Amino acid sequence: MPATRYTYADSPIGRLLLTATGAGLTAIEFPRGDVPRPAPAGADEDRPSFDDVLRQLEAYFTGRLRHFDLQLAPAGTEFQRQTWAALCEIPYGETRSYAEIARRIGRPRAIRAVGAANGSNPLPVVVPCHRVIGGDGDLTGFGGGLERKRFLLRLEGALPTGLFA
C-alpha cells in the first residue's frame, strides 16, 4: 500500500484536509463545522508535496482558475469513477442534473446510483460534485453542507435562479 501524505489547506469554506499517495491526490475533506478533519492514522505530514494542489486551490478560490490540472487517485468502483469523470466534464459556471449525468455515462435509469456516487466523491471542489443539482433546480444534498455548495456555485456564477445565498 502506498504511503499516505497529508496537509491542510485554508480556504473560504473551511480548513480542508488533503491526502495523497504517490499515485496522486486521494481526498479533500471538509471540516466538521469549524473543526478540521484529523489526519489519517499513519500518514505523514508533507506540505511541500502539495504545493501544486495548494496553488491551484488558491487560484480557484480567488476566481483565477476554472479547471484543475492535478494527478488524481480517488478510490472507488468503476461506476463511481465513470460518474466522477462525467462530473469533471461539467464546465465551470454550469450545473447538470443527476439525470443528465446518468444519461452522460450511458445509464439513464441509474439516477439514484449517480446521486450516491456523487455523494461519495472523495475529491470535492476538484471533481465538481457541487455542480450537480436536482432536476427541478434544487440544490439537494452536499457532503460539505448546502452553505458550502451555495458558496462554490456563487463563486462560479452558477447559482440557479431563485436560490438565495
Side-chain angles (χ1 to χ4, degrees):
M1 176 179 216
T4 300
R5 299 179 316 276
Y6 78 93
T7 196
Y8 290 95
D10 291 320
S11 81
I13 57 173
R15 193 156 203 232
L16 307 174
L17 171 65
L18 311 176
T19 59
T21 64
L25 189 64
T26 56
I28 297 173
E29 295 187 43
F30 295 113
R32 289 194 176 130
D34 293 330
V35 179
R37 298 286 177 117
D44 296 319
E45 186 166 11
D46 183 9
R47 191 164 185 86
S49 70
F50 290 90
D51 282 348
D52 194 34
V53 178
L54 294 166
R55 247 189 320 277
Q56 289 188 45
L57 283 170
E58 191 271 335
Y60 170 79
F61 284 118
T62 57
R64 296 179 290 119
L65 181 81
R66 292 177 170 234
H67 177 77
F68 290 93
D69 184 18
L70 298 167
Q71 184 67 36
L72 306 179
T77 67
E78 181 61 30
F79 181 83
Q80 288 171 326
R81 287 192 303 275
Q82 287 177 326
T83 300
W84 301 334
L87 299 179
C88 290
E89 295 173 6
I90 304 171
Y92 181 97
E94 297 183 23
T95 59
R96 298 290 185 269
S97 70
Y98 294 98
E100 288 172 299
I101 299 300
R103 285 192 297 275
R104 176 81 178 128
I105 65 170
R107 304 278 303 271
R109 298 180 59 140
I111 297 167
R112 288 180 188 244
V114 163
N118 195 62
S120 64
N121 171 20
L123 293 167
V125 180
V126 172
V127 175
C129 55
H130 60 277
R131 296 180 189 156
V132 182
I133 61 173
D136 59 1
D138 284 346
L139 288 188
T140 67
F142 184 62
L146 289 181
E147 287 306 312
R148 286 189 178 104
K149 185 170 188 165
R150 277 188 198 92
F151 177 92
L152 295 169
L153 291 174
R154 188 180 319 111
L155 174 71
E156 295 182 7
L159 196 62
T161 304
L163 297 175
F164 309 118

